[in-house]
């Protein structure tokens, strides 16, 4: 099939080549050529009893068999060559189509990342009074763009805002884009400090893995039987020790997400973290970082922190909630 032809444009030719490829796949041409060669060779043996008479003369049908077999040999060989040529042509066309789709996906991903970067740049230059509202809107832009990063079908992107309380961290206020169902999951560190999500938040963002339901060592990372997704990528949104939230992308099948998807989500999370860092004042960022340090000290220390240490500054809380 020509790369420029469309399905149904040459139905007879498509059926013909389809038949050739099917016969080639079942080695009909090779076996037919061998059989025709064998029959042809037998017709030239004068003592072969089934095709000569008692006097050693060829039977009347032997000549016909000999001619037909001699004709079939080059015809079958030529058909095999044509089928091989068509198979290579279709393979080349398939590779070209895959390359075209990959290029489109790449361009779409870059456009999505530029959407986040451009929006972040606008917010960074806004007045402090407008930033709070626009930072909230940025979460919607972020998940919309992140959903567009992957070539997998039926994905869903979600941003979870980090809130720090005296009892521990909370990942909540989910904002989603993609599949119909909304994410309603809220993680509370005070209820399960050993949950894998806190390991993700405290780890390096570049090390955030692709988690699949088929991973034997990650069976406890999600209640897979109750989830509509079977793979996900969750990346912490943080910069210079300050945690802002988590960006996640999930897909309905275990093999849907790729390393390219993981790197794209990582870049999106870093753009978001950079935007938040630029949009907040220096003292706000310091207070956010300090609140996490104090929380860890309370969790690790033998004594409760003082009231001054345990009180989360309202400015920090407001900024984290954005």
């Amino acid at each position: 099939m020509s790369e420029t032809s469309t399905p149904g444009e040459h139905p007879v030719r498509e059926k013909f080549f389809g038949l050739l490829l099917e016969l080639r796949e079942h080695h009909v041409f090779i076996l037919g050529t061998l059989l025709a060669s064998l029959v042809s060779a037998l017709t030239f043996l004068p003592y072969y009893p089934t095709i000569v008479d008692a006097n050693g003369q060829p039977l009347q049908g032997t000549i016909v068999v000999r001619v037909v077999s001699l004709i079939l040999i080059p015809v079958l060989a030529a058909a095999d060559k044509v089928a091989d040529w068509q198979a290579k042509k279709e393979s080349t066309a398939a590779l070209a189509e895959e390359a075209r789709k990959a290029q489109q996906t790449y361009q779409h991903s870059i456009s999505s990342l530029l959407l986040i970067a451009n929006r972040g740049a606008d917010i960074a230059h806004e007045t402090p009074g407008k930033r709070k509202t626009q930072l909230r809107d940025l979460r919607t832009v972020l998940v919309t763009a992140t959903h567009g990063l992957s070539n997998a079908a039926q994905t869903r992107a979600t941003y979870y805002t980090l809130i720090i309380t005296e009892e521990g961290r909370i990942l909540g206020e989910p904002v989603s884009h993609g599949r119909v169902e909304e994410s309603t999951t809220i993680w509370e560190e005070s209820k399960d400090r050993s949950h894998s999500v806190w390991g993700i938040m405290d780890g390096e963002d570049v090390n955030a893995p692709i988690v699949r339901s088929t991973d034997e060592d990650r069976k406890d990372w999600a209640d897979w039987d109750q989830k509509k997704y079977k793979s996900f990528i969750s990346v912490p949104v943080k910069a210079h020790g300050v945690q802002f939230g988590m960006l996640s992308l999930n897909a309905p099948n275990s093999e849907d997400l790729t390393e390219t998807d993981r790197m794209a989500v990582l870049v999106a999370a870093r753009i978001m973290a950079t935007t938040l860092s630029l949009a907040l004042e220096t003292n706000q960022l310091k207070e956010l970082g300090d609140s996490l340090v104090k929380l860890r000290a309370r969790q690790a220390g033998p004594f409760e922190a003082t009231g001054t240490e345990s009180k989360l500054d309202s400015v920090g809380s407001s900024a984290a909630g954005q």
Side-chain angles (χ1 to χ4, degrees):
M1 184 186 303
S2 174
E3 294 181 33
T4 58
S5 64
T6 57
E9 185 178 346
H10 303 289
V12 175
R13 187 174 67 179
E14 289 179 8
K15 290 181 180 179
F16 172 72
F17 282 124
L19 178 60
L20 285 183
L21 291 174
E22 185 175 354
L23 293 175
R24 174 181 177 272
E25 184 178 350
H26 291 86
H27 310 292
V28 171
F29 298 128
I30 293 177
L31 294 176
T33 302
L34 292 175
L35 181 60
S37 300
L38 177 61
V39 171
S40 177
L42 290 176
T43 62
F44 285 95
L45 297 177
Y47 54 81
Y48 197 74
T50 60
I51 54 179
V52 296
D53 58 20
N55 299 319
Q57 298 299 318
L59 296 175
Q60 186 175 5
T62 300
I63 302 300
V64 176
V65 172
R66 178 184 297 173
V67 172
V68 171
S69 61
L70 288 174
I71 293 175
L72 283 177
I73 292 173
V75 169
L76 291 172
D80 185 63
K81 289 293 184 181
V82 172
D84 185 60
W85 170 80
Q86 181 66 15
K88 291 179 179 179
K89 184 178 180 181
E90 291 191 2
S91 177
T92 302
L95 290 174
E97 179 64 14
E98 287 294 327
R100 185 188 66 80
K101 289 182 178 179
Q103 184 67 17
Q104 285 183 337
T105 301
Y106 172 74
Q107 292 174 349
H108 187 62
S109 296
I110 295 298
S111 298
S112 297
L113 292 174
L114 285 175
L115 177 64
I116 308 172
N118 290 339
R119 185 61 178 155
D122 292 339
I123 292 174
H125 291 86
E126 285 289 355
T127 61
K130 294 182 179 180
R131 286 177 185 169
K132 184 175 181 179
T133 300
Q134 293 191 358
L135 285 175
R136 255 189 211 99
D137 295 339
L138 181 61
R139 297 181 302 180
T140 302
V141 175
L142 176 68
V143 297
T144 301
T146 302
H147 171 259
L149 291 174
S150 177
N151 194 39
Q154 296 296 309
T155 59
R156 186 187 69 196
T158 305
Y159 179 76
Y160 302 89
T161 297
L162 180 70
I163 301 173
I164 303 177
T165 69
E166 293 185 1
E167 290 75 26
R169 291 172 290 180
I170 298 175
L171 279 170
E173 301 181 16
V175 178
S176 300
H177 185 84
R179 293 193 311 277
V180 176
E181 78 274 8
E182 290 288 332
S183 175
T184 57
T185 304
I186 296 177
W187 291 280
E188 297 184 46
E189 191 176 19
S190 60
K191 295 182 178 180
D192 187 2
R193 289 177 58 182
S194 64
H195 196 284
S196 57
V197 72
W198 305 118
I200 292 175
M201 290 299 298
D202 293 332
E204 294 292 333
D205 58 357
V206 72
N207 294 329
I210 303 175
V211 181
R212 311 180 194 277
S213 61
T214 53
D215 295 338
E216 292 298 329
D217 57 338
R218 295 191 178 117
K219 290 289 187 181
D220 59 339
W221 281 49
D223 186 3
W224 297 112
D225 292 336
Q226 303 299 320
K227 299 297 184 182
K228 293 186 177 181
Y229 58 85
K230 298 302 177 185
S231 58
F232 69 84
I233 303 167
S234 292
V235 179
V237 178
K238 61 182 182 180
H240 304 293
V242 180
Q243 297 181 1
F244 301 104
M246 183 176 72
L247 180 62
S248 184
L249 179 70
N250 64 49
N253 299 308
S254 61
E255 300 302 321
D256 281 346
L257 300 178
T258 67
E259 179 64 16
T260 301
D261 295 322
R262 192 184 75 86
M263 295 303 296
V265 175
L266 171 62
V267 173
R270 287 191 175 183
I271 294 175
M272 181 68 170
T274 300
T275 300
L276 291 170
S277 298
L278 293 173
L280 298 178
E281 300 295 332
T282 303
N283 64 318
Q284 291 177 310
L285 291 173
K286 184 177 185 303
E287 289 168 355
L288 284 173
D290 290 345
S291 64
L292 181 57
V293 172
K294 293 174 183 178
L295 172 63
R296 287 173 172 165
R298 288 196 301 272
Q299 292 173 337
F303 303 103
E304 289 293 327
T306 64
T308 303
E309 292 176 332
S310 62
K311 183 178 180 181
L312 178 63
D313 188 273
S314 58
V315 176
S317 176
S318 174
Q322 295 172 15

